[in-house]
Amino acid sequence: MDRIIRTLPPPSSLSVSVVSFLNAKLNEKEDLEQAPALLSELRTQCHVLDQSLSDLNTQLRNYLINHASHSDRTGALLRDIDAKLGDLQSASCSSSPDGGSEKVLGEELPALAKEVARVNTVRTYAETALKLDTLVGDIEDAVSSTVKRTLRREPSTKSSEEMRSVAIRTLKLTEDTLRLVAKTHPQWTRLVSAVDHRVDRSLAILRPQAIADHRSLLTSLGWPPPLSTLNSLCPESKRSTDVQNPLFTMKGDLKQQYCDSFLALCSLQELQRQRKSRQLEGQNREIALHQPLWAIEELVNPISVASQRHFSKWVDKPEYIFALVYKVTRDYVDSMDELLQPLVDEAMLSGYSCREEWISAMVTSLSTYLAKEIFPMNVSQLDEESTSEKHLQARISWLHLIDQMIAFDKRVQSLASHSGILLSLQEDAKLEKLSSFSVFIDRPDWLDLWADIELTDAFDKLKPEIENERSWSTEVRGVAVLSAQEDNKSPAIASAFHQRFSAVIDRCRSLPSIELRSRFLKLAGAPIIHRFLGCLLFRCQEAEGLTALTDNDALMKVAKSVNAARYFESILKEWCEDIFFLEMGLSQDTSTDGNDFGSEESSGNGILYEEIKKLEEFRTGWVEKLSTVVMRGFDVCCRDYLKSKKQWQEKGEEGWMVSQSFIGALDYLQGKMLILEEGLNRVDFVGVWRSLAPGLDKLIFNGILMTNAKFSDGGVERLSNDLSVLFGVFGAWCLRPEGFFPKLSEGLKLLKMGKKQLQNCLAGGEIWLKENGIRHLTAAESEKIVKNRI
């Protein structure tokens, strides 16, 4: 068949001649004198092509007698070739070299060139189909031969390995051809699909047979090796010297056979990966393409089966299970790098690390056992209706299991890091393979149960701290969490809640996916913040209800609660700038599943946005209440001072710099502010006095300057002295305290003006006020103050 195909003349010369003539035809500057000669040459070449294709037709019919399964499709193909040749002959014979040939050529040559191109495509299709049929036939012959030798149980596997190698090489050639066809002729989908179907049938036989031979070879090597005894399960113990690694001890022909078998499995997997890559072209292929390494799985599976016989004895001692798995993983990881990785590289299986695959396969086998045996047992113990003591013991067992999983994952990931992989920078899919916590991916109900246990345990540990009154009074010293390094004056209870919440975060970090971390944090972490906020609110309301915050102890109680809220809020804000929390926040912002864990929030605010917002609202609300309480007390103390109108027409008392009726109010104000300054953190204390100053400004302005009190020169001087003392109280916290009392300052400024300036004020209105720096008083207020001046 190849001989017939090779005898066909290449159609390129004919196509080039026709195309060149058409170009000449389209260019009006060229004449058509050569048209009769070109038509004669075209007839000759068409005749040659006609004869060659007729011979090909005859040979194909004879060939397909022995390939009846494909005769219908190829017969239709040959009938199409005959039709095209007939059209070609009729088109060439209908033209004559007389004077009308130019007109005939102008009308028929474009269609004739198109037909020649189509015939060329048919010829290429026939060549490709025959080539693929030959390759697939060779594959099927090699696979069949391999199976027959296995069924006969021939003692030597050399011939079987050779035939398998032939099949794999032919499979690679076939895949290369299919990839080329899919790229150059994407319309030939039926041809590619038909070949894929036959190749899949061969692979369905070849791969299981190769795996079975590989398992038999592993058994002859003495794999799996004897497992470690209880005496060597200590996590700190060094590698056992009494158990030898069969992968290192094999020699001679046995080693060569194993390497060939391992290489064959890797080659088959790489071939499968290439096929999937071609079939999934244009789609998200990463998940489908990267599968566990088959040859490594064959090493892990027998170890897993042998280990489970020991695991069943250690159901109540999970630390032994994790110790055994880690020891086996560690003892044989070096052979993966030294012996097997070169074979993977030789098979050109890109993107695979034997060390990583070995570790991930061992972790996966452990996770499978945990999901099937250990966790169901623990869940059943928690679900049973029993005494509180037994329920408590079940929770303790669960938390102990989680502790063992966290410790195991850290040690295993440390092993993997020797391959140069930075797990912190890897995608979640990479981390899932190296984490025993992957059991929660398919069982979110277990994750919810774990979160509930963690939350209950945290509340149990916080309960004594909450009930201990000293925890609410002792300050946290030496805390270096806040970036500003400020004196937060936070009570010890805030540090206790912080430690519990940090413990939940540390356990949350062990989960292998962002979705699991986000869910766990919302279930086990956020309620701790809510409980903390609830305790703060209860203490503040209790203090307010008992004394209306008139007592100094009540003020300190509220101040400590505000400090605790500030401390926790600052910690959460700093945490939310970490990539760990940013990832969860972004995942939550893009969530569209509509559940409680995907609530809509402002993008970029982080997963703890709602909790931070509630802490901030609590803090600002009670800071405002502290300001209101102080101002209310000040109002009570200076009520007689504000009601006395005659004093502004008199001179000040001799020997007194300030009005006697105003001294009590000033003393109250200074005393309360000193208590708050001592009790509150610096930032919130600034909020208190800045909120208090405008209130006092409004209170005194309305109580004195907006009444019908008349001001003499002595009264103006008296008011000026009183306000100077008031401003001096706030002068301890700012440079220009009068700036926080704008109405009083500008009202006093008007009172100190001369008669002419006051007359201009009445005449000039708001324009005059602005020109003279009076910007916080209206024209009506200014007029009333001016008219009260005597």
Side-chain angles (χ1 to χ4, degrees), residues 263-519:
L263 188 60
L265 279 181
C266 291
S267 299
L268 279 174
Q269 186 164 2
E270 173 61 15
L271 175 67
Q272 184 71 9
R273 190 193 67 82
Q274 292 179 1
R275 287 170 55 77
K276 287 292 183 181
S277 176
R278 171 176 54 81
Q279 294 168 355
L280 298 176
E281 186 71 32
Q283 305 178 24
N284 186 6
R285 302 175 294 174
E286 295 301 324
I287 298 177
L289 294 183
H290 194 92
Q291 300 295 327
L293 203 57
W294 299 345
I296 298 298
E297 283 188 325
E298 295 307 317
L299 290 173
V300 172
N301 289 339
I303 291 180
S304 177
V305 173
S307 299
Q308 291 182 17
R309 292 195 294 269
H310 297 279
F311 293 167
S312 60
K313 305 174 186 177
W314 301 332
V315 174
D316 297 330
K317 297 288 185 180
E319 59 269 21
Y320 288 165
I321 296 176
F322 289 100
L324 177 59
V325 174
Y326 174 74
K327 189 176 190 310
V328 173
T329 304
R330 182 195 63 188
D331 286 352
Y332 300 103
V333 71
D334 289 341
S335 59
M336 305 299 147
D337 286 337
E338 299 175 15
L339 179 64
L340 302 184
Q341 186 62 46
L343 298 177
V344 173
D345 296 339
E346 183 179 350
M348 300 183 71
L349 198 56
S350 58
Y352 282 92
S353 165
C354 280
R355 170 184 285 267
E356 182 183 336
E357 292 297 321
W358 164 257
I359 296 174
S360 65
M362 290 296 296
V363 173
T364 301
S365 68
L366 173 62
S367 300
T368 302
Y369 183 80
L370 293 176
K372 289 183 178 180
E373 303 293 339
I374 303 299
F375 273 99
M377 182 192 68
N378 282 271
V379 171
S380 63
Q381 291 177 354
L382 290 169
D383 292 340
E384 291 177 358
E385 294 184 2
S386 58
T387 63
S388 58
E389 184 177 352
K390 290 185 178 179
H391 190 75
L392 177 61
Q393 187 61 40
R395 285 169 44 203
I396 293 174
S397 299
W398 183 289
L399 294 175
H400 177 62
L401 175 62
I402 296 297
D403 291 337
Q404 295 299 320
M405 293 171 66
I406 293 175
F408 173 80
D409 283 359
K410 288 181 179 178
R411 296 162 68 194
V412 159
Q413 290 167 10
S414 177
L415 277 181
S417 65
H418 291 294
S419 63
I421 301 171
L422 297 177
L423 295 176
S424 60
L425 302 178
Q426 293 296 315
E427 64 277 7
D428 286 343
K430 181 79 71 176
L431 191 59
E432 288 175 10
K433 300 193 305 178
L434 301 175
S435 174
S436 58
F437 283 88
S438 58
V439 296
F440 293 112
I441 295 176
D442 297 326
R443 295 302 302 264
D445 55 324
W446 290 352
L447 181 72
D448 297 350
L449 182 58
W450 173 31
D452 181 68
I453 294 173
E454 288 286 351
L455 184 61
T456 304
D457 181 68
F459 285 164
D460 290 344
K461 292 177 179 177
L462 286 170
K463 186 176 181 180
E465 297 286 342
I466 295 173
E467 296 175 351
N468 184 7
E469 192 63 28
R470 293 188 60 186
S471 300
W472 294 94
S473 58
T474 307
E475 295 179 357
V476 180
R477 298 295 183 184
V479 177
V481 177
L482 301 180
S483 59
Q485 296 294 317
E486 65 181 359
D487 184 12
N488 53 77
K489 298 182 180 181
S490 177
I493 189 65
S495 178
F497 271 92
H498 169 225
Q499 290 175 1
R500 290 295 96 211
F501 189 75
S502 297
V504 171
I505 296 300
D506 290 339
R507 297 171 91 75
C508 176
R509 292 179 187 275
S510 60
L511 291 168
S513 72
I514 296 176
E515 291 75 14
L516 292 180
R517 295 176 212 140
S518 176
R519 186 181 184 91

Side-chain angles (χ1 to χ4, degrees), residues 5 617 648 775:
I5 293 176
E617 290 175 352
W648 308 119
R775 293 181 173 82

Side-chain angles (χ1 to χ4, degrees), residues 634 641 656-659 662-663 665-667 669-670 700 718-732 737 741 748:
F634 181 86
Y641 172 74
W656 293 90
M657 292 294 296
V658 63
S659 301
F662 195 46
I663 291 177
L666 291 174
D667 183 65
L669 176 64
Q670 190 170 21
I700 299 174
R718 184 173 187 169
L719 178 63
S720 176
N721 293 335
D722 291 346
L723 293 182
S724 297
V725 177
L726 175 65
F727 295 161
V729 174
F730 289 86
F741 297 84
L748 183 61

Side-chain angles (χ1 to χ4, degrees), residues 64-75:
L64 290 174
I65 292 176
N66 298 323
H67 297 79
S69 61
H70 306 283
S71 59
D72 293 338
R73 181 166 53 84
T74 311

